[in-house]
Amino acid sequence: MNRLILFVVCGLTVISQAVGQKKQLTLEEIWGGAFRTEYMDALRSMKNGKQYTVLNFTGPGQSSLDKYDYKTQQKVETIVASSDAVPFFTSYEFSADESKLILATEIEPIFRHSRLGIYYVYDVKSKELTKISEDKIQEPELSADGTKVAYAKENNLFVFDLKSAKTQQLTTDGKFGSIINGITDWVYEEEFAFVQAFEWNSNGTKIAFLKFDESEVPHFSMDVYGQNLYPYQHEFKYPKAGEANAKVSLHMIDVASAEVSKVDLGAPYYIPRIKWMNNPNYLSVRTLNRHQNHLKLIAVNAKDNSSTILLEEKDDAYVDITDDLTFLADDSFIWTSERDGYNHLYLYDQDGNLLNQITKGNWEVTSYYGYDQAEDRIFYQSVEEGSINRDVYHISTSGQEKTKLTQKVGTNGADFSADYSYFINTFSSATTPYEFTLHKAANGKKVADIKDNKALSKQLEDYALSKKEFSTLTVNGNELNMYMIKPLDFDPNKAYPLFMFQYSGPGSQQVANKWWGANDYWHQLLAQQGYIIACVDGRGTGLKGRDFKKVTQLELGKLEVEDQIAAAKKLSELPYVDEERTGIWGWSYGGFMSTNALLKGNDTFEMAIAVAPVTSWRFYDTIYTERYMKTPQENASGYDDNSPFNYPELLKGKYLLVHGTGDDNVHVQNSMRMVEALVQANKQFDWAIYPDRNHGIYGGNTRLHLYTKMTDFIKENL
């Protein structure tokens, strides 16, 4: 026994000396870009499948669109570069035949995804440059033959004819705050994640578009402080849970006549996707009811606007909207569904009859990449090797001949060439920053290394960084994924404060074997200062099947909070955890969680930090909230029983509340109501408000200031 004790002490001394020789992380380094990760610039495969294009920024105000060869990785040519004749451009889009490009300049953000800009059409052969409009416009898209451009401006749709250089206005009823043609409203953009709500068919004869009537949607306003003498109010339409949404309808434009007709879909509540089939006369449309638990996939005949239902998806909770829909040559289609309890791939004929469930098992398909019809191969990503890892596979439509294409353990993603002969694999793990490699799509064989972060890995060797330890924790009858970061000089005979991190939103995942970046650096900094960091993905998180994900339905913040409290109690039983020093933090949904954990678990948690938290789901938007909670009118207790400002008297520990006043997503109203509740309960707390900062709370020194404040708060209170 004595020899063992001496060995351990001696070993710890060696570790301490090694740690002492390593550098300590600083907040200035983390938020000053000292550990910047190299990424692969977004590439797009050329139609020939042998080459791809990358937008390169070659200097201040200089950009070029360059073509590369997949096999050699060498640059073949520069297609277009900014010059005296071509303005600096920041994005591009090819026409279907790759004869023309749309170049984006002078981009001005609106919301999370939407942009205004000045756009040009560049003819690849003649090198002629044509400005589409003198005004800033949205979402220009070339017709398949590259002769026309459709775009949105001031809530209306237009077509610009490149041959005649004439512009035709297709809709005239667009009006700010009332009617939007061809562009989504705020809540569709945020929750259904698309902006362009119009599409050309495959021969350029028709344009389908969505119209949003948001005249009955309540206004929301935010004070903007800026540098002016007087603040001003920014107003936009924001439908909160239980309130009126925009009325959405589908319309068809005959391009030759400019005639606009309405398609009768039976008054669906949401239309979250439209997509033309290969047959130019048929459009696919997805509709949802308000509860989002009944989806219809509808085929619309553009000749007479008649429609038929191809398939329906129903769920006791909700049906997810994805982009996992591919029409094959005969307009049979591939689709994903959770109908057997896990997200899998299915094959249907053109009439919507099920031909085959392609993938099966107690695991999830996490991404669908596409279909190689020539070789009958479907390419997808899944968690077959464990829910914290992801790999890439191909499989036939019969469900046979499955081949695993990636080998490294961690998170693998793929970007395929147009002919599915190659793919670029993006790999990372908890210990390996991003690597980009070229592989053959048939068997996964590596062809070439493209880019890695070996320089960053070498740089980090000089720092006292701890291993992220993955495990599981059984609480409340469930085996939950967990990771832990301990101080590098960890001594099992000491008791350390425990600081927990989580997000916990429906279908989310924080415990994943991947490279996370800045937050992980910060957690490592805290570990260097003597804290144990732990993260537990509780019930309601994703990639463990439908039932695990949807068990929190109608009561967001109940089971998830119970799991975080139970996990903290169980971890506090470890001999090296100080049960009197337990904290928790989170951002957005995670801020909602950390606030509730501190209140409902006031005998477990001594402190919490909540950044940009929801404090009542009554304040959040319709699409997200009602998907999980139904409306407040139907489920008042579900909304109020887990709203932290309804029980501020439970606060015992130290609490830091942070919000940006320019948050158009989780409004600062959430924190203001929490503040007022705590004041009236005579509870002391700390808080920070960042003027005009949005949900991400960044810009200039903002992140450095925020993380300095959080670090100081932890050191003072945990």
Side-chain angles (χ1 to χ4, degrees):
M1 178 66 77
N2 289 338
R3 288 180 64 190
L4 178 62
I5 292 174
L6 287 171
F7 175 78
V8 171
V9 171
C10 186
L12 289 172
T13 302
V14 172
I15 291 173
S16 297
Q17 290 173 347
V19 172
Q21 295 168 0
K22 296 278 189 175
K23 293 181 183 179
Q24 302 293 298
L25 294 164
T26 68
L27 292 168
E28 288 76 13
E29 286 175 314
I30 295 172
W31 298 110
F35 308 116
R36 197 176 305 279
T37 305
E38 291 289 328
Y39 293 97
M40 183 84 180
D41 293 323
L43 62 87
R44 302 181 196 182
S45 176
M46 302 294 289
K47 287 180 68 177
N48 62 21
K50 308 304 178 188
Q51 297 163 330
Y52 62 87
T53 57
V54 174
L55 177 59
N56 290 313
F57 296 100
T58 54
Q62 295 179 318
S63 54
S64 67
L65 181 61
D66 300 310
K67 185 191 296 184
Y68 295 82
D69 184 86
Y70 271 108
K71 190 172 184 178
T72 67
Q73 289 297 293
Q74 298 299 308
K75 187 167 88 169
V76 177
E77 66 171 304
T78 293
I79 298 173
V80 60
S82 59
S83 63
D84 291 341
V86 179
F88 171 66
F89 55 96
T90 54
S91 69
Y92 69 98
E93 182 181 345
F94 273 107
S95 61
D97 63 1
E98 297 180 345
S99 66
K100 294 182 176 67
L101 286 160
I102 290 181
L103 304 179
T105 71
E106 300 180 41
I107 294 301
E108 173 189 335
I110 304 173
F111 295 118
R112 189 189 295 263
H113 307 290
S114 51
R115 303 287 184 269
L116 283 167
I118 297 293
Y119 293 87
Y120 296 81
V121 173
Y122 180 79
D123 189 297
V124 175
K125 185 177 181 179
S126 70
K127 304 190 184 310
E128 182 181 354
L129 190 71
T130 305
K131 184 183 283 188
I132 298 171
S133 171
E134 293 296 328
D135 302 314
K136 287 198 170 184
I137 61 175
Q138 285 183 268
E139 303 298 321
E141 184 181 357
L142 283 156
S143 59
D145 61 4
T147 62
K148 298 179 179 65
V149 181
Y151 63 88
K153 185 181 75 170
E154 297 176 348
N155 291 15
N156 279 310
L157 286 174
F158 298 78
V159 164
F160 175 65
D161 190 306
L162 288 163
K163 290 182 179 178
S164 66
K166 291 182 179 180
T167 300
Q168 184 173 21
Q169 185 167 345
L170 300 175
T171 65
T172 58
D173 58 345
K175 182 180 179 182
F176 179 77
S178 181
I179 301 295
I180 312 173
N181 291 294
I183 298 292
T184 56
D185 64 355
W186 184 94
V187 72
Y188 266 62
E189 176 180 338
E190 178 66 28
E191 304 301 353
F192 288 141
F194 73 112
V195 175
Q196 183 180 319
F198 69 89
E199 278 203 11
W200 288 96
N201 69 348
S202 60
N203 64 8
T205 59
K206 300 279 186 178
I207 298 174
F209 74 95
L210 300 180
K211 182 192 295 285
F212 295 85
D213 180 351
E214 59 176 3
S215 55
E216 295 180 12
V217 178
H219 277 275
F220 187 81
S221 62
M222 298 188 302
D223 287 327
V224 180
Y225 298 96
Q227 304 297 318
N228 301 319
L229 182 61
Y230 290 92
Y232 67 90
Q233 285 197 328
H234 173 59
E235 288 195 359
F236 57 100
K237 295 297 187 86
Y238 185 108
K240 299 201 175 202
E243 298 297 311
N245 278 283
K247 296 174 182 175
V248 61
S249 53
L250 175 66
H251 300 260
M252 198 73 68
I253 299 172
D254 181 84
V255 177
S257 66
E259 180 182 346
V260 181
S261 57
K262 183 177 180 180
V263 179
D264 183 5
L265 295 174
Y269 199 80
Y270 294 119
I271 306 177
R273 292 289 187 274
I274 58 174
K275 182 176 183 176
W276 285 97
M277 301 183 192
N278 293 311
N279 185 329
N281 294 317
Y282 282 90
L283 175 77
S284 73
V285 183
R286 275 176 267 184
T287 68
L288 278 173
N289 60 336
R290 182 159 191 164
H291 287 163
Q292 299 174 64
N293 59 5
H294 184 186
L295 177 146
K296 296 178 182 178
L297 177 64
I298 298 171
V300 174
N301 186 333
K303 288 183 176 179
D304 59 10
N305 288 352
S306 61
S307 62
T308 56
I309 297 174
L310 292 177
L311 67 78
E312 298 183 69
E313 293 271 359
K314 295 181 180 180
D315 193 286
D316 291 339
Y318 58 90
V319 179
D320 279 315
I321 295 298
T322 72
D323 292 313
D324 300 340
L325 172 62
T326 294
F327 288 99
L328 311 188
D330 62 353
D331 282 331
S332 56
F333 58 93
I334 297 166
W335 178 262
T336 57
S337 172
E338 292 182 320
R339 61 178 52 190
D340 78 341
Y342 294 86
N343 193 52
H344 282 296
L345 294 159
Y346 294 79
L347 177 66
Y348 292 84
D349 70 15
Q350 59 265 51
D351 297 318
N353 299 307
L354 178 63
L355 297 177
N356 185 40
Q357 180 176 346
I358 301 165
T359 59
K360 298 175 183 178
N362 295 338
W363 45 267
E364 304 263 306
V365 170
T366 44
S367 288
Y368 164 68
Y369 295 121
Y371 177 60
D372 178 4
Q373 191 143 354
E375 299 292 337
D376 186 31
R377 290 175 181 151
I378 295 171
F379 296 90
Y380 69 94
Q381 179 199 62
S382 76
V383 292
E384 294 176 55
E385 299 291 327
S387 57
I388 68 169
N389 298 309
R390 302 193 192 193
D391 283 286
V392 179
Y393 298 80
H394 69 61
I395 193 171
S396 70
T397 52
S398 67
Q400 304 298 314
E401 302 174 16
K402 180 162 64 175
T403 302
K404 183 180 175 184
L405 300 176
T406 50
Q407 303 303 322
K408 289 190 174 183
V409 178
T411 299
N412 294 275
D415 192 309
F416 286 85
S417 61
D419 66 351
Y420 295 100
S421 57
Y422 295 103
F423 73 92
I424 291 176
N425 184 49
T426 301
F427 169 78
S428 76
S429 70
T431 56
T432 306
Y434 288 95
E435 297 176 348
F436 303 90
T437 50
L438 180 69
H439 299 255
K440 289 187 176 180
N443 54 23
K445 182 180 179 181
K446 187 168 79 169
V447 177
D449 295 312
I450 302 174
K451 182 181 285 191
D452 57 37
N453 279 278
K454 288 182 180 178
L456 174 61
S457 296
K458 182 69 175 176
Q459 178 188 0
L460 292 173
E461 288 177 2
D462 295 334
Y463 288 82
L465 302 182
S466 303
K467 183 179 179 181
K468 182 182 281 189
E469 301 173 3
F470 292 98
S471 61
T472 59
L473 188 70
T474 302
V475 296
N476 294 325
N478 291 275
E479 189 176 90
L480 307 180
N481 291 339
M482 180 181 80
Y483 72 69
M484 183 177 285
I485 302 172
K486 298 172 184 172
L488 190 58
D489 58 353
F490 173 72
D491 180 349
N493 297 309
K494 287 178 59 177
Y496 295 87
L498 175 68
F499 190 51
M500 296 178 67
F501 166 65
Q502 47 65 60
Y503 178 75
S504 302
S508 65
Q509 185 185 48
Q510 296 299 312
V511 183
N513 190 9
K514 62 183 289 189
W515 191 259
W516 285 95
N519 262 351
D520 267 7
Y521 291 132
W522 184 55
H523 290 157
Q524 288 282 354
L525 180 150
L526 294 174
Q528 289 174 352
Q529 298 185 15
Y531 297 91
I532 290 178
I533 310 300
C535 179
V536 178
D537 276 344
R539 284 172 289 179
T541 57
L543 310 187
K544 297 181 102 176
R546 177 206 176 279
D547 293 343
F548 186 85
K549 179 175 71 172
K550 296 180 179 178
V551 70
T552 61
Q553 193 72 5
L554 299 180
E555 290 191 293
L556 294 184
K558 182 179 186 297
L559 300 181
E560 308 99 298
V561 170
E562 290 176 3
D563 283 351
Q564 294 301 315
I565 294 171
K569 287 181 176 179
K570 192 155 189 175
L571 291 174
S572 294
E573 295 173 1
L574 294 170
Y576 49 81
V577 171
D578 184 346
E579 65 178 353
E580 300 299 323
R581 299 169 68 193
T582 306
I584 188 169
W585 89 282
W587 197 306
S588 192
Y589 198 105
F592 164 71
M593 288 288 300
S594 61
T595 302
N596 266 321
L598 183 64
L599 298 181
K600 292 188 174 185
N602 58 15
D603 60 343
T604 302
F605 292 99
E606 280 71 48
M607 63 83 72
I609 299 173
V611 184
V614 172
T615 61
S616 172
W617 291 108
R618 291 178 180 269
F619 296 156
Y620 203 56
D621 73 63
T622 47
I623 293 178
Y624 182 92
T625 310
E626 293 173 11
R627 180 186 302 150
Y628 311 116
M629 297 282 282
K630 295 188 177 178
T631 66
Q633 295 87 337
E634 298 169 290
N635 182 27
S637 63
Y639 279 79
D640 298 334
D641 290 352
N642 300 297
S643 174
F645 64 58
N646 285 328
Y647 33 87
E649 69 280 357
L650 297 181
L651 180 64
K652 291 182 182 178
K654 302 297 184 179
Y655 181 51
L656 173 60
L657 177 61
V658 179
H659 222 119
T661 67
D663 193 334
D664 65 303
N665 186 357
V666 179
H667 306 143
V668 72
Q669 174 188 19
N670 285 272
S671 284
M672 292 304 185
R673 283 292 297 272
M674 192 70 213
V675 166
E676 175 62 11
L678 291 169
V679 168
Q680 294 309 318
N682 196 27
K683 295 292 183 177
Q684 295 299 312
F685 61 97
D686 291 86
W687 64 310
I689 293 293
Y690 287 91
D692 299 336
R693 298 306 178 189
N694 64 16
H695 195 53
I697 312 183
Y698 60 87
N701 278 328
T702 305
R703 279 287 177 96
L704 175 59
H705 186 278
L706 169 59
Y707 276 80
T708 301
K709 176 171 285 292
M710 293 197 296
T711 303
D712 291 344
F713 186 79
I714 294 164
K715 291 164 71 174
E716 291 167 6
N717 297 291
L718 190 62

